[in-house]
Amino acid sequence: MVGAVLVRDGKIIASGFHPFVGGDHAEIVALKKAGGKAKGATLYINLEPCSHQGRTPPCTQSLIAAGIKEVVAGMKDPNPLVAGKGFSELGRAGIRVRTGILEDECRILNEAFAKFITRRLPFVTLKLAASLDGKIATMTGDARWISGPTSRITVHRMRSRIDAVLVGAGTVIADDPQLTCRIQGGRDPWRIILDAHLRIPLTARLLRQRGSDKNIIVTGHAAPAAKVRALEGLGTTVWRFPVRHGTVPWLPVLKKLAKMGLASVLIEGGATTAAVALKEKVVDKVLLFYAPKILGGDARFMIDSLGVRRVKQSIAVKRMEIEKSGTDVLVSGYLIGKRR
């Protein structure tokens, strides 16, 4: 995600952003808007301009040809095809280059891209909504609504930005969710359902709603062939993987999603899905919405057993931030000790 601003004599003359994969990069959009006014201007951009031929031509050559005098950038491009080469090419052409401006903020903006381009794995975020005492549903399974309307809108905005949302079969059976983006102008993500024993009912709403061709159910080799055919007849893709200890291993699934070009995954599953993902060390970031409610000891925990016997075995969270989300509190942070 890249934005660019062209400034000359203290005034903004043009700006642009990268709208979609394969479209003009942010700096090219800005240059086209500026035309001849770009000569002698300073470019402010959050990511190093590319210097290689990809889906679009190298941006460095366009900047040089336009007569840009200075580039102020937030961070080096993590793409090994660029990784400082763009800055070097600009410098050799006589363009002054300054880097590392608001670098932490720029890295967060493109954290999914950075992981995907360097490790060929999606960036995985675990999102949970819970009461203050860490419960995601009452003793009867009722979970609507624990979080407030502001938090729910935030989640829909997340769905519009990420590539795929992932849940377990238990969530589909219990809640019958749509997993769509329901904000105006939003975009529906891919929907990934982990269902080792193919328990998902054929009447599930997500199988019969808009965009059913963006459903992927991940199951085991022993899944009934007739049900697989029925699901495929509804437009759903079914992947089969070996099942270990009753669950589908995460890493092979994530690698296959990456091969599809999916760079970000939002886990919205229940306590079991959250626990397995944490135990397999595939989670990069956690987003925990806490609502001002208390459900008590007979309610359902937000995360199932992790097998932690001592505090020093706990999963550590770093760079933790806390902010208000309407009446709720959002706690976010990054996990250490992830799978490499």
Side-chain angles (χ1 to χ4, degrees), residues 157-228:
R157 287 177 178 153
M158 290 179 191
R159 289 179 183 174
S160 183
R161 292 195 302 265
I162 54 94
D163 293 328
V165 59
L166 184 149
V167 299
T171 294
V172 177
I173 293 169
D175 300 337
D176 197 17
Q178 293 176 271
L179 303 179
T180 53
C181 173
R182 295 188 289 280
I183 56 174
Q184 187 173 3
R187 170 184 69 87
D188 287 342
W190 283 81
R191 292 173 288 271
I192 317 300
I193 299 92
L194 299 186
D195 189 358
H197 305 294
L198 210 56
R199 297 185 296 138
I200 186 172
L202 294 175
T203 55
R205 284 197 297 176
L206 61 82
L207 297 177
R208 300 175 180 273
Q209 65 189 10
R210 70 186 188 211
S212 61
D213 58 331
K214 295 181 76 172
N215 293 332
I216 298 175
I217 295 179
V218 184
T219 189
H221 289 301
K227 191 167 185 180
V228 170

Side-chain angles (χ1 to χ4, degrees), residues 114-185:
K115 180 183 178 183
F116 177 77
I117 204 69
T118 56
R119 297 174 53 196
R120 291 297 169 185
L121 285 171
F123 186 90
V124 179
T125 300
L126 171 63
K127 186 277 298 180
L128 293 168
S131 60
L132 284 179
D133 53 341
K135 305 300 171 61
I136 59 173
T138 66
M139 60 182 295
T140 64
D142 179 35
R144 296 189 178 181
W145 295 101
I146 287 181
S147 59
T150 300
S151 298
R152 295 199 296 273
I153 291 172
T154 298
V155 172
H156 281 287
R157 287 177 178 153
M158 290 179 191
R159 289 179 183 174
S160 183
R161 292 195 302 265
I162 54 94
D163 293 328
V165 59
L166 184 149
V167 299
T171 294
V172 177
I173 293 169
D175 300 337
D176 197 17
Q178 293 176 271
L179 303 179
T180 53
C181 173
R182 295 188 289 280
I183 56 174
Q184 187 173 3

Side-chain angles (χ1 to χ4, degrees), residues 121 124 166-167 194 244 247-257 265 267 272-278 280 282-283 339:
L121 285 171
V124 179
L166 184 149
V167 299
L194 299 186
R244 293 202 302 262
T247 62
V248 177
W250 279 73
L251 196 56
V253 174
L254 292 175
K255 287 181 177 179
K256 192 164 183 176
L257 292 174
V265 173
I267 301 174
T272 300
T273 300
V276 175
L278 290 169
E280 293 210 21
V282 298
V283 177
R339 184 190 292 272

Side-chain angles (χ1 to χ4, degrees), residues 315-328:
I315 298 173
V317 180
K318 62 179 180 178
R319 291 158 51 196
M320 192 172 74
E321 294 185 358
I322 301 173
E323 60 184 278
K324 286 281 289 179
S325 176
T327 57
D328 304 332

